[in-house]
């Protein structure tokens, strides 16, 4: 296969980010073309503009929850994209500095806001009074520090050990995260097309607006899943943005749209919500099959429809 025929991937860069690690975990030994993007929006725009076939971006963190820029960009753009895969990556941080910098000289620390949230306890104990300088990614902070040194506007970067090594920085402290079990979930996004085939261990991601801003509207939305035995593994509210008090809901559910119970839930959701956006059905990274309650298997829905059809044709 020639270089021009290889799948094109972009990701939240620069080189050395956890997102690049997620990309490598997703493609495995497959040879692909990769090109880092400066931020999540740029990565997704590259796919929309056909400069890349896939984008790998962070979706949620086990400590901080959803990555808002990813959720909002996928949900609100007039040019839809769909999720075709996911990767979960453990995250561990080092305090990276220009060689020769001592701990007592670190007063300003740069990193991505989610990384800062995962390390703020350690920073508070070990670097009393240190302030956060936001960066577009952990590796971007490391790259800038390596390039500009003390003129970067900060003294240290919270990044991966790989980033520190790649950019020639010294790891002044290791294991600085407050939660050693933290992981980040990344999603692989493409333009709409044929969906990944159901595997029996899948997720479906949706965004929906509430039916009305009144008592019971959230219940009406959630009932569409509950009565069909569809479990939600994630649900987060996001402001719609046009006025106070109006929210959309980003959610992951267990199952594939090709399954009867999931399709029925989406049909119900479409009936009661003013706006629903389908954002992909794709294999779960952990390959764990969901529990399907009695009465909600595909065969149960098929049998129920056949029974109603017999009634309609007079075969009572």
């Amino acid at each position: 296969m020639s270089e021009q025929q290889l799948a094109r991937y972009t990701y939240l860069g620069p080189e050395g980010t956890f997102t690049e690690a997620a990309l490598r975990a997703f493609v495995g030994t497959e040879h692909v073309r990769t090109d880092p993007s400066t931020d999540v929006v740029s990565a997704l725009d590259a796919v929309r503009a056909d400069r890349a076939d896939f984008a790998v971006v962070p979706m949620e963190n086990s400590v901080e929850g959803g990555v808002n820029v990813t959720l909002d960009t996928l949900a609100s753009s007039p040019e839809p994209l769909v999720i075709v895969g996911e990767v979960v990556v453990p995250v561990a941080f080092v305090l990276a500095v220009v060689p020769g910098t001592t701990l007592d000289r670190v007063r300003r620390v740069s990193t991505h806001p989610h990384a800062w949230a995962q390390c703020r306890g350690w920073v508070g104990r070990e670097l009393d009074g240190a302030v956060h300088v936001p960066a577009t990614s952990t590796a971007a902070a490391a790259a800038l520090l390596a390039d500009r040194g003390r003129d970067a506007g900060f003294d240290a970067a919270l990044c991966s050990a790989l980033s520190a090594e790649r950019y020639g920085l010294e790891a002044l402290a290791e294991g600085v995260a407050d939660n050693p079990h933290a992981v980040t979930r990344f999603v692989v996004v493409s333009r709409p097309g044929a969906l990944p085939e159901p595997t029996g261990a899948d997720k479906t991601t949706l965004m929906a607006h509430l039916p009305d801003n009144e008592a019971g509207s959230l219940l009406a939305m959630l009932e569409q899943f509950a009565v069909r035995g569809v479990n939600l593994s994630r649900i987060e509210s996001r402001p719609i943005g046009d006025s106070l008090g109006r929210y959309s809901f980003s959610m992951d559910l267990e199952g594939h749209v090709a399954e009867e119970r999931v399709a029925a839930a989406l049909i119900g959701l479409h009936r009661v919500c003013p706006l629903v956006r389908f954002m992909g059905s794709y294999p779960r990274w952990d390959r764990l099959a969901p529990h399907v309650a009695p009465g909600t298997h595909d065969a149960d829905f098929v049998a129920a429809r056949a029974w109603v059809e017999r009634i309609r044709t007079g075969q009572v």
Side-chain angles (χ1 to χ4, degrees), residues 40 44 48 57-59 68-83 187 189-190 205 207 277-279:
V40 167
L44 297 177
R48 291 190 180 95
V57 291
M59 183 75 163
N68 291 339
V69 64
T70 301
L71 298 177
D72 294 345
T73 304
L74 287 175
S76 63
S77 172
E79 298 180 62
L81 297 174
V82 292
I83 300 170
V187 292
V189 179
S190 74
T205 298
M207 181 279 294
R277 173 169 284 192
F278 173 79
M279 296 162 62

Side-chain angles (χ1 to χ4, degrees), residues 195-277:
L195 299 178
E197 290 294 323
T199 66
D202 304 286
K203 281 183 183 176
T204 295
T205 298
L206 305 170
M207 181 279 294
H209 290 188
L210 279 182
D212 294 293
N213 186 21
E214 61 182 35
S217 59
L218 178 58
L219 176 62
M221 182 181 77
L222 295 178
E223 280 180 337
Q224 307 308 314
F225 303 104
V227 299
R228 296 170 177 92
V230 176
N231 184 52
L232 294 177
S233 59
R234 179 187 63 86
I235 180 167
E236 300 182 56
S237 64
R238 296 294 304 149
I240 293 175
D242 55 1
S243 63
L244 289 174
R246 287 186 21 92
Y247 290 88
S248 65
F249 285 82
S250 173
M251 61 196 87
D252 296 328
L253 56 92
E254 294 180 344
H256 193 285
V257 69
E259 298 175 47
E260 293 282 349
R261 62 192 176 86
V262 175
L266 266 62
I267 291 170
L269 204 65
H270 192 272
R271 287 190 299 103
V272 303
C273 293
L275 176 64
V276 180
R277 173 169 284 192

